[in-house]
């Protein structure tokens, strides 16, 4: 179906939870809706109405549950089929594992001509035994139902090929990531940001001579929170650590790790923040010790705020962070190596940290500017449509 002045191509974009549209993909649907008719689908939540207001598009609700849940997934597929039959999209595009499974099966059943799934991160590489095999076959099923498979980054692409998840051609969009970052918004010189950072630092009781590390993300067992706390516990007494993000109930950190976070006088739990910039501005270094990622947005956000990053040498992180250039890379699940990197950061001069941060911001501006990614997405969809 070609685009003309009277009729727009309908694109249905599906994610598992509404927070994805409220944070990572925020305003991308609104931009795309200028050329296409965009319809969004996600699980129910208290903030679903906010999505429609932000994006100016229709938002549909289909219950989807994270994790392995065959019966509930069948119910979700039926709900997605009904949504597709009602909206009649020419393109269905899914992100995140569960939305991919539900939306790709439903779109194939409904004979939607263009079915796209973006792998934002693979779960099976860190799983074991029967669960690992099941997750591999689920990803293969998603690829079988899709007509186009997009890896979020080159690391994800390599894993899809290495584990023979699909034989379809795979091409990363731009330099990777699914959203890009607004470097004007995430700027160290953004209006009012310094003031907000000072207020936050005062509120937390952090001294002027403190060295502040910041973690941003769900408090999930695969985020390396345990190793982070082990590494932090051995640092000098002027080190502080901010946790920005809510507890992940689907794969929570251990009770002992959570207890150590709550008991430590220099560890500050801020919970979920709509605006993470003040926390990033307070920090000297971002720390992301994940076991797995697709292409973490927070690394780009930190880079845009001119913040050096300590991250694990995994997919996505090692596509942005270059040791000595804009941060440090350490092996996953290695608390001693993480401690060494954090200690090294504390011993690095303020001038060098500033230089690393500036190089990081420049890299993000060149490779991951949000507007450029949105335009590449529009071009992607145009290329999937039949010619007049």
């Amino acid at each position: 179906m070609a685009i003309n002045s009277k009729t727009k191509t309908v694109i249905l974009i599906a994610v598992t939870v509404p927070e994805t549209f409220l944070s990572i993909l925020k305003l991308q649907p609104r931009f795309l809706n200028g050329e296409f008719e965009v319809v969004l689908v996600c699980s129910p939540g208290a903030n679903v109405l906010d999505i429609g207001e932000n994006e100016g598009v229709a938002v549909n609700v289909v219950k989807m549950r994270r994790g392995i849940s065959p019966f509930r997934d069948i119910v979700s597929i039926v709900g997605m089929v009904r949504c597709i039959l009602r909206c009649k999209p020419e393109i269905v595009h899914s992100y995140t594992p569960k939305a991919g499974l539900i939306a790709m099966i439903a779109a194939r059943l409904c004979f939607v001509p263009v079915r796209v799934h973006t792998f934002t991160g693979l779960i099976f590489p860190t799983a074991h035994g029967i669960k690992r095999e099941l997750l591999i076959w689920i990803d293969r099923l998603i690829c079988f139902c899709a007509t186009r498979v997009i890896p979020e980054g080159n690391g994800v692409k390599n894993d899809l090929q290495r584990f023979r998840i699909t034989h379809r051609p795979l091409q990363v969009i731009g330099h990777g990531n699914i959203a890009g970052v607004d470097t004007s918004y995430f700027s160290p010189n953004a209006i009012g940001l310094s003031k907000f950072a000072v207020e936050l630092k005062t509120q937390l009781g952090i001294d002027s001579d403190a060295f502040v590390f910041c973690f941003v993300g769900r408090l999930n067992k695969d985020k390396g929170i345990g190793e982070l706390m082990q590494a932090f516990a051995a640092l000098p007494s002027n080190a502080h650590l901010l946790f920005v993000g809510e507890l992940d109930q689907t794969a929570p950190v251990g009770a002992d790790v959570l207890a150590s976070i709550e008991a430590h006088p220099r560890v500050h739990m801020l919970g979920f923040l709509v605006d993470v910039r003040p926390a990033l501005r307070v920090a000297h270094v971002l720390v992301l010790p994940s076991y797995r990622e697709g292409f973490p947005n927070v690394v780009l956000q930190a880079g845009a705020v001119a913040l050096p990053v300590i991250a694990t040498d995994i997919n996505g992180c090692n596509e942005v962070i270059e040791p000595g250039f804009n941060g440090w890379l350490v092996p996953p699940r290695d608390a001693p190596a993480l401690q060494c990197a954090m200690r090294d950061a504390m011993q690095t001069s303020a001038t060098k940290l500033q230089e690393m941060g500036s190089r990081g911001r420049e890299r993000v501006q060149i490779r991951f500017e949000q507007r450029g990614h949105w335009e590449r997405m529009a071009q992607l969809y145009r290329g999937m449509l039949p010619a007049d």
Side-chain angles (χ1 to χ4, degrees):
M1 180 176 178
I3 299 172
N4 56 55
S5 58
K6 296 182 180 178
T7 306
K8 290 182 177 182
T9 297
V10 179
I11 301 176
L12 185 150
I13 302 175
V15 302
T16 307
V17 295
E19 287 75 18
T20 305
F21 287 132
L22 290 166
S23 56
I24 298 172
L25 294 177
K26 185 176 181 180
L27 298 182
Q28 188 177 133
R30 178 179 284 276
F31 173 84
L32 295 170
N33 198 55
E35 181 172 343
F36 311 96
E37 181 180 342
V38 176
V39 177
L40 305 180
V41 183
C42 62
S43 294
N47 44 15
V48 166
L49 292 177
D50 294 337
I51 299 171
E53 293 179 5
N54 289 343
E55 308 298 343
V57 303
V59 182
N60 294 267
V61 169
V62 174
K63 288 185 178 180
M64 290 175 276
R65 183 173 180 176
R66 284 172 168 164
I68 299 172
S69 182
F71 176 76
R72 291 178 183 271
D73 289 348
I74 291 172
V75 174
S76 299
I77 291 168
V78 172
M80 189 69 73
V81 165
R82 289 174 177 167
C83 181
I84 290 172
L85 292 176
R86 184 169 62 251
C87 299
K88 298 180 173 59
E90 288 89 347
I91 299 174
V92 171
H93 189 173
S94 59
Y95 297 86
T96 71
K98 182 50 64 79
L101 177 66
I102 303 303
M104 289 299 98
I105 291 176
R108 185 178 175 89
L109 291 173
C110 294
F111 301 100
V112 176
V114 181
R115 306 180 296 274
V116 188
H117 178 67
T118 295
F119 279 97
T120 54
L122 301 173
I123 302 174
F124 70 80
T126 56
H128 303 280
I130 295 176
K131 182 179 180 181
R132 178 188 177 97
E133 292 301 316
L134 179 59
L135 290 171
I136 286 174
W137 281 104
I138 288 173
D139 284 345
R140 286 174 177 167
L141 176 59
I142 292 172
C143 293
F144 173 78
C145 292
T147 58
R148 177 77 178 267
V149 176
I150 299 174
E152 186 178 15
N154 285 306
V156 174
K157 174 183 175 181
N158 293 338
D159 281 345
L160 289 171
Q161 293 173 330
R162 182 160 58 100
F163 290 94
R164 297 175 183 162
I165 304 300
T166 180
H167 296 293
R168 296 186 185 279
L170 301 174
Q171 184 174 358
V172 175
I173 298 174
H175 289 276
N177 193 248
I178 64 169
V181 61
D182 183 346
T183 59
S184 296
Y185 181 75
F186 282 94
S187 166
N189 301 316
I191 296 174
L193 182 55
S194 292
K195 177 182 176 231
F196 295 145
V198 169
E199 291 174 352
L200 177 60
K201 197 170 182 179
T202 302
Q203 176 187 336
L204 297 175
I206 299 175
D207 296 333
S208 59
D209 64 344
F211 192 98
V212 183
F213 295 96
C214 182
F215 168 91
V216 179
R218 290 176 291 114
L219 270 64
N220 178 299
K221 66 179 182 180
D222 286 347
K223 292 289 186 179
I225 307 297
E227 288 83 357
L228 177 53
M229 285 304 298
Q230 290 178 45
F232 180 78
L235 296 180
S237 60
N238 65 322
H240 284 250
L241 174 60
L242 311 182
F243 279 106
V244 180
E246 57 190 356
L247 293 172
D248 187 342
Q249 301 301 331
T250 60
V253 297
D256 56 335
V257 174
L258 186 58
S260 69
I261 292 173
E262 294 173 341
H264 202 294
R266 289 180 284 108
V267 175
H268 312 274
M269 289 188 69
L270 306 185
F272 173 78
L273 298 180
V274 174
D275 186 359
V276 302
R277 295 176 304 160
L280 293 175
R281 193 71 173 84
V282 165
H284 295 85
V285 172
L286 176 82
V287 186
L288 187 66
S290 299
Y291 303 159
R292 60 177 176 85
E293 291 285 348
F295 207 112
N297 288 278
V298 68
V299 170
L300 302 184
Q301 293 166 355
V305 180
L307 196 64
V309 176
I310 298 173
T312 38
D313 190 3
I314 57 172
N315 292 347
C317 295
N318 55 19
E319 295 171 57
V320 181
I321 303 305
E322 182 181 336
F325 178 81
N326 57 349
W328 295 258
L329 289 175
V330 299
R333 304 176 188 267
D334 192 334
L338 180 59
Q339 178 198 325
C340 286
M342 294 174 76
R343 193 177 291 274
D344 187 26
M346 294 184 70
Q347 294 171 351
T348 300
S349 69
T351 300
K352 186 171 181 181
L353 286 175
Q354 187 176 18
E355 290 173 354
M356 294 173 75
S358 296
R359 290 194 292 262
R361 177 169 170 78
E362 183 180 8
R363 173 165 290 184
V364 170
Q365 288 177 308
I366 293 172
R367 298 182 180 180
F368 303 104
E369 185 63 59
Q370 187 178 72
R371 181 77 182 208
H373 179 80
W374 290 354
E375 291 171 351
R376 286 189 290 272
M377 290 303 302
Q379 183 178 8
L380 172 76
Y381 291 137
R382 285 186 219 112
M384 294 176 177
L385 300 173
D388 291 335

